[in-house]
Amino acid sequence: MAAVTYEHIKTCKQSGARLGRVHTPHGVIETPAFMPVGTQATVKTMSPEELKAMDAHIILSNTYHLFLRPGHELVKAAGGLHKFMNWDRPILTDSGGFQVFSLSDNRKITEEGVQFKSHLSGDKLFLSPEKAMEIQNALGSDIMMAFDECPPYPAEYAYIKNSLERTTRWAERCLQAHARPQDQALFAIIQGGMHEDLRRQSAEQLTSMDFPGYAIGGLSVGEPKHLMYEVLEYTTPLMPANKPRYLMGVGSPDALIEGAIRGIDMFDCVLPTRIARNGTCMTSSGRLVIRNAKYAEDFGPLDPNCSCYTCSNYSRAYIRHLIKADETFGIRLTTYHNLHFLLQLMRDVRQAIMEDRLLDFRDAFFESYGLNDN
Ligand SMILES: Nc1nc2c(CCNCC3CCCCC3)c3[nH]c(NCCc4ccccc4)nc3cc2c(=O)[nH]1
Ligand SMILES: [Zn+2]
């Protein structure tokens, strides 16, 4: 029995988006789904109970960060990541390749793997397909990501081609090193930059190796959004229809809707938790920067259309006060709301797919969200 299976429920007649379920050893994920990010074994400032209250089904953590601190052997000794962080629902771990390039300096890529300096201690470290699999095996995540290279944007065609071919060889090595395929699902990551022929080459090479799920990597790296949507349009049809499709690093409301329309099932992004920390909130009429003086005496909720704990109990004035006073509770309230906002958006997207009206939903949402007069 495979660790993770995809159940297709229906396809939206209006948009072609699909409604599904991803079955994992720690529970079911309704898709399209947004996955909150918990980089260092916590979704910053949120408790597992609060994440369950907003009905988060799956959270992300990371090989790179946990390898550096506290170390994957410690997490293993604690009984694995679910036990360590008291989260009994699904966990997906990224393989660390992307974080090496976004966090550490003087790293060196070879066929063997990536040498880099820890962004914490400066120690010289090494990640490889085998090491990334050893770490994710120790963490015990339900979904593991293959060790890949996300090429910089922009990059030379030749570089992207060589890189995707190495990523394919690394994926093969991950498969060989996969210790517990019946307990953990290994997803491969399709690369190829913004080139249709290279995306096709990467997809064909990886789908011939029969992974239980596939991600689209190499996007949301600074390219214009319309270019990302173009890549999705010719890449998702190359991915097996009976397996989950995960678009990495995508989390703005418009991109989640556009990605779902183009056949994506799973998304992750640090955006909602990251912007919450400086008091920026996603609301149904656009982004709201709570530090703005105009909210000083605004005793209404962050978002009048939101039913979350923050919007049901606290005012803009109170949250602004906390954020300006650097009170941690302020960040907890903005984080709770932003995560709830995206999780609620995905619930609304799933309902729209069920009722064959996702394009209408998109137009209505953009109309309201686009009102950036906050
Ligand atoms: N393997 C791999 N990961 C990628 C990631 C990390 C996805 N988040 C993992 C998550 C695990 C837990 C720790 C945090 C990360 C990406 N993130 C983005 N864009 C983010 C763009 C962005 C958007 C808003 C704010 C910052 C950055 N493009 C990505 C491409 C790849 C890729 O090809 N390969
Ligand atoms: Zn709210």
Side-chain angles (χ1 to χ4, degrees), residues 145-167:
M145 299 312 293
F147 189 70
D148 66 324
E149 182 195 3
C150 173
Y153 176 80
E156 288 296 313
Y157 181 91
Y159 184 88
I160 296 171
K161 182 169 174 57
N162 290 327
S163 170
L164 85 82
E165 288 166 352
R166 180 171 47 216
T167 286

Side-chain angles (χ1 to χ4, degrees), residues 173-318:
R173 284 167 55 188
C174 286
L175 269 182
Q176 299 308 321
H178 194 2
R180 296 186 288 138
Q182 72 288 352
D183 300 323
Q184 300 178 281
L186 173 63
F187 281 16
I189 303 174
I190 295 168
Q191 294 292 350
M194 313 300 157
H195 304 284
E196 182 164 5
D197 59 330
L198 297 183
R199 285 282 173 186
R200 177 176 298 281
Q201 180 187 347
S202 179
E204 283 172 355
Q205 290 177 342
L206 294 172
T207 51
S208 71
M209 290 192 249
D210 195 25
F211 287 88
Y214 292 89
I216 298 179
L219 291 178
S220 188
V221 287
E223 80 282 6
K225 274 187 180 164
H226 70 83
L227 196 46
M228 175 167 80
Y229 299 153
E230 244 176 77
V231 173
L232 295 183
E233 269 150 32
Y234 58 67
T235 303
T236 48
L238 305 173
M239 301 164 81
N242 63 338
K243 294 179 176 178
R245 299 179 183 140
Y246 164 26
L247 176 56
M248 305 187 87
V250 169
S252 60
D254 50 322
L256 292 173
I257 298 171
E258 296 289 6
I261 288 169
R262 291 164 178 79
I264 298 295
D265 306 308
M266 299 160 73
F267 303 86
D268 90 276
C269 196
V270 297
L271 193 71
T273 38
R274 179 165 298 181
I275 63 173
R277 291 199 285 283
N278 62 40
T280 301
C281 304
M282 297 171 173
T283 78
S284 43
S285 57
R287 282 191 176 196
L288 181 154
V289 180
I290 199 65
R291 282 177 176 278
N292 192 314
K294 65 182 171 184
Y295 302 121
E297 298 182 19
D298 183 336
F299 302 113
L302 276 183
D303 184 346
N305 301 321
C306 180
S307 62
C308 86
Y309 168 70
T310 298
C311 296
S312 307
N313 296 290
Y314 304 93
S315 70
R316 289 171 172 178
Y318 176 64

Side-chain angles (χ1 to χ4, degrees), residues 40-57:
Q40 302 191 104
T42 165
V43 177
K44 290 183 172 33
T45 79
M46 292 288 99
S47 70
E49 291 72 24
E50 287 167 327
L51 290 168
K52 287 184 177 176
M54 59 176 90
D55 204 22
H57 285 266

